[in-house]
Amino acid sequence: MDVHALGWFSLVGLIVVMIAVDIVGHLRNPHAPSIKEAAWWSAAYVAMAIVFGFIVWGVWGHEHGTGYFTGYLLEKSLSIDNLFVFVIIIAAFKVPRKYQQEVLLAGIVIAIVLRGIFIAIGATVVERWSDVFFLFGAILIYAAISQAREGTVDTGEDEGYQENAFVRLVRRVVPVTEGFVGGKMLHRHHGRTMITPLLLAIIAIGSADLVFAVDSIPAIYSVTHEPYLIFAANAFSLLGLRQLYFLIDGLLDKLVYLHYGLAAILAFIGVKQVIHALHETELGFLQFYDWHSIPEPDQYVSLGWIVGVLIVTVIASLRRNAKDRRLAAVEGVMVRPGEDLTQARARLAREEREREES
């Protein structure tokens, strides 16, 4: 795929314009968007990503167009996990709702820049060392196992956000204000410049996303090796997250089988990476078998698998929620927002133990 410099400038320019529209249109007047506003903007972001995909299809052909759409859908589905972390970080820092848009947008911009660097490094490595796909496959299969195990863990208690090492380092070397100072990220007090929790929350979101990039960037390399398409898919999937956060805030916990769905996607992509590596490897000890006899799933199979798994995950989650509501009504259990029936039972049992101990 030969991308002229004008193609890169156009893509980066489009991303900058979208960010500028966000800054001018939303952050100039800080507010918590309504469901209707979030829905319209979410639809606009998805529409722009789709239009870009058709441009790719028309200019570079159906193979690259399919690669982009598959990569975008893959990144979009994996980015749902980001939303869980965004919710936890914003709650942990107690960011006022009217400033949450600013925190999310700034954090996402940091994430796009960091992912761009990650993709550039990855493209160089992939070009010079095809056996890196063994590593990619191992990372994704491990991530799939972790996702599946996370789906089975139920402590019945809320998990607190754990600051990563970078944020803890910032706290040690830079003075931080006791609380928020309006929408400021820096505050001058008695001749001393201090950072605010708002800036810390932005750093936390931007740096936490890099952890997810360790899974998602290797995953999209199984769909396409083109840095242009990989960066575009990542940028469009991340830019839409801010409005998606406000659109489905509070509904994420209803997708009770989400972790299993993501595990199935990651496992499939991980196996695909390993098969690709076996086809391309020049390692002597692996030459005892003709690995090309094992077919590598193409882009259309990958796209079908991702779409199918997401549909099954959503339907299964909705059915489970309906069943839980019926059982809760029969048992007389009050299920709080964000809880499923199992968590509600665990909470009630815990509260009962606490009453007995007191």
Side-chain angles (χ1 to χ4, degrees):
M1 179 179 178
D2 184 21
V3 181
H4 191 274
L6 183 60
W8 278 103
F9 284 129
S10 299
L11 174 59
V12 174
L14 177 60
I15 293 170
V16 171
V17 168
M18 292 169 70
I19 294 172
V21 169
D22 265 338
I23 294 173
V24 174
H26 300 287
L27 303 186
R28 185 174 55 184
N29 177 28
H31 67 287
S34 64
I35 295 294
K36 182 179 179 180
E37 179 184 348
W40 275 109
W41 279 99
S42 294
Y45 279 119
V46 172
M48 293 194 72
I50 292 174
V51 169
F52 179 83
F54 281 119
I55 292 174
V56 170
W57 194 298
V59 175
W60 289 286
H62 70 89
E63 182 178 351
H64 292 303
T66 303
Y68 165 77
F69 280 119
T70 305
Y72 171 70
L73 186 58
L74 175 63
E75 292 295 332
K76 199 69 173 176
S77 60
L78 293 179
S79 69
I80 295 175
D81 244 15
N82 295 43
L83 293 180
F84 282 104
V85 176
F86 291 173
V87 170
I88 294 171
I89 291 175
I90 286 176
F93 282 99
K94 297 181 172 61
V95 180
R97 192 162 180 82
K98 68 177 182 178
Y99 298 125
Q100 289 177 8
Q101 290 208 74
E102 181 177 352
V103 169
L104 288 167
L105 180 57
I108 287 170
V109 170
I110 293 174
I112 291 174
V113 173
L114 293 177
R115 287 200 182 203
I117 296 172
F118 201 159
I119 291 167
I121 295 172
T124 302
V125 173
V126 166
E127 183 178 351
R128 298 185 179 182
W129 184 38
S130 62
D131 289 321
V132 73
F133 286 101
F134 284 119
L135 176 61
F136 285 177
I139 290 173
L140 295 177
I141 292 172
Y142 174 78
I145 295 172
S146 299
Q147 284 283 354
R149 292 181 62 186
E150 187 174 348
T152 63
V153 174
D154 180 19
T155 63
E157 300 179 9
D158 293 333
E159 295 182 14
Y161 168 68
Q162 300 296 321
E163 289 183 350
N164 57 43
F166 181 68
V167 176
R168 289 197 297 271
L169 177 62
V170 171
R171 281 190 177 277
R172 290 195 186 101
V173 300
V174 181
V176 183
T177 61
E178 291 297 326
F180 291 89
V181 185
K184 291 183 179 179
M185 288 183 271
L186 298 174
H187 178 60
R188 189 80 175 169
H189 184 64
H190 294 311
R192 188 185 190 193
T193 301
M194 307 175 73
I195 67 174
T196 69
L198 193 74
L199 180 57
L200 275 181
I202 290 171
I203 295 172
I205 286 177
S207 58
D209 177 79
L210 195 58
V211 176
F212 292 94
V214 174
D215 295 341
S216 65
I217 300 300
I220 196 172
Y221 267 105
S222 74
V223 176
T224 176
H225 296 175
E226 300 295 338
Y228 184 76
L229 301 182
I230 294 172
F231 179 69
N234 272 269
F236 282 118
S237 66
L238 286 175
L239 282 173
L241 278 186
R242 183 176 64 85
Q243 294 297 343
L244 191 60
Y245 169 89
F246 290 101
L247 181 61
I248 64 177
D249 183 19
L251 299 179
L252 289 172
D253 289 327
K254 299 299 183 183
L255 299 176
V256 294
Y257 293 122
L258 174 65
H259 292 298
Y260 298 115
L262 294 180
I265 292 173
L266 289 170
F268 173 83
I269 298 298
V271 171
K272 185 176 186 294
Q273 294 276 39
V274 172
I275 294 174
H276 178 79
L278 289 171
H279 286 183
E280 300 293 329
T281 186
E282 297 179 358
L283 297 176
F285 67 92
L286 289 175
Q287 303 303 320
F288 64 90
Y289 183 77
D290 180 16
W291 299 108
H292 289 85
S293 61
I294 302 175
E296 179 182 351
D298 61 19
Q299 295 173 340
Y300 299 100
V301 173
S302 300
L303 179 60
W305 178 266
I306 294 169
V307 172
V309 168
L310 290 177
I311 291 174
V312 170
T313 298
V314 171
I315 292 175
S317 295
L318 293 176
R319 289 172 63 88
R320 167 68 182 275
N321 291 332
K323 180 181 178 181
D324 281 355
R325 285 194 298 269
R326 290 194 300 270
L327 290 175
V330 172
E331 297 177 16
V333 176
M334 180 63 69
V335 180
R336 293 176 178 174
E339 283 185 335
D340 60 25
L341 183 58
T342 303
Q343 292 170 330
R345 287 169 176 161
R347 173 178 53 79
L348 292 174
R350 188 172 63 253
E351 292 173 353
E352 181 64 26
R353 288 196 302 270
E354 291 173 354
R355 283 195 296 269
E356 292 175 354
E357 292 172 358
S358 62

